[in-house]
Amino acid sequence: MSKSVVLHLEGVTKKFPRSEVPAVQNATLTLHQGDILGLLGPSGCGKTTLLRMIAGFERPETGTVSINGQVVAGDGVMQSPEKRGVGMVFQDYALFPHLTVADNTTFGLHNSTQKSRAEIEKKLTEALALVGLSGLENRYPHQLSGGQQQRVALARALAPRPSMVLLDEPLSNLDVQVRVRLRQELRDILKASDTSGIFVTHDREEAMAISDRVAVMRNGCVEQFGTPEEIYIEPASRFVAEFVTQANFVSARRRGEVWETEIGCFDLSMFSNSNNQDINYLEDLDSGELMIRQEDVVLEPDENGSVIIRDRQFLGREFRYCLRAPSGQEFIARTTFSEALPIGTKVKISIAEPSLRLFPAAPSAAQSTKSLSFSMANIN
C-alpha cells in the first residue's frame, strides 16, 4: 500500500535582501508519511532556510509548500506556523529553564482551549514514554544531561501528535558518543510514532544513518534527492561524490579504448549505465576524472610500485592510509583490520569495486550534474 504524501515542495525559491544569489533556489521534493528526510550540505547551502520555509518562519518568493495536500505557502497563501500541524526542535532546544520537564513538554498544549487537563496529562505521559523520560516529569532542564534535554525538546514537538517534526541540527550540541547513540534513538522514536521527520545536518554519516531520503544541497539548490544508497552508489555530480562518499579523484586521459591514469589503465569496454545519451557523451570526452571510493582501493606491497604510503592511521576497525602518487597527488585508502603496511612502503594499487564513475575534468553548467559509470575490465 502506497504511503500518502505529507509534504511537497514545488519550485521553492527564497532570496534575502542585500543578497545577490538566492538562499534557496527552485527546490522541489516530496516526502511521504512516516519517512525521514535529511537535508544535507555544507554551511550556508540553504538547509535551514528551506526548513524555516516549511515551518512557516520564512515566506518563499516563488513556488509552493504543501502539507498533507494543502498549500500552506505560495499562490497567495501564507499559513502561520501554529496552523501547519508540524512540530519544531531547535538547535539549542529552546527549553524554558524555569519550567519542569512536564511543563516544557505540555507548553503548547496548554494554549489550546480544546484540550482538557485529562487529555493533556495523557499526551504528556505518552510523549515522555516515547522518548524514554518517564519519571523525570518534575526535573528542570539544568538537572538533565544534554541528551535528555534533546529528548524533552523532541517530546514537546511530538506531544500535539503532528504529522511532521522539523529538527534543526538536533544533535550538533552533543559529544560524539552521545550523538551516535541518539541518532538511532531519534530514528526509532519517529518510526514508533509514525511521524515524518525532516532534519538539517552537515554530517554525512548522520544523514545516511537516520534518513529514508536525503536531499544534498549546494548553493541553495537540491543537487540530488534520493535514498542514502542511491546517493552513495550513484552520485549525480562531482560535488555529491566528494561531499557524501569522500571519494578520491584521479585524472584520466583517453588512449583509444583505454583511459590512462598515474595509478593504472582502465578499459571502458562495458558500460553499466544504459543511458545512450550518456554513452555518446563519454565518447566525446578526451579527458576526465575517475571517482574511486576509499574503501575500494586494494594495496599490495611492490618494490616497483609507483605509489608510496605517506601516513597510516589506525581507526579501530580499519586502517586509513594516505597515499602519494608520482605527481605528488595524495589519495586515501581504507582497509579492514589486517596486517599493517609500514609508512614508506611502495605499493601497487588495484580496485576491488568493478564499477567506477567518470566525471568531466572541467564540467560546464550544463554538464555539472552528469557522471558516467563503467566497468573495469583491466588495470595495470
Side-chain angles (χ1 to χ4, degrees), residues 258-267 300 302 304-307 347-351 376-380:
V258 174
W259 287 73
E260 295 181 346
T261 77
E262 63 177 327
I263 64 170
C265 297
F266 300 83
D267 181 359
E300 181 181 348
D302 187 343
N304 298 318
S306 60
V307 177
V347 294
K348 180 175 71 173
I349 288 179
S350 59
I351 309 301
M376 184 182 70
N378 182 42
I379 180 170
N380 297 320

Side-chain angles (χ1 to χ4, degrees), residues 5-6 8 65-73 77 79 83-84:
V5 174
V6 68
H8 180 68
V65 178
S66 300
I67 297 177
N68 294 320
Q70 178 184 0
V71 175
V72 297
V77 176
Q79 194 174 74
K83 295 181 179 179
R84 297 194 179 192

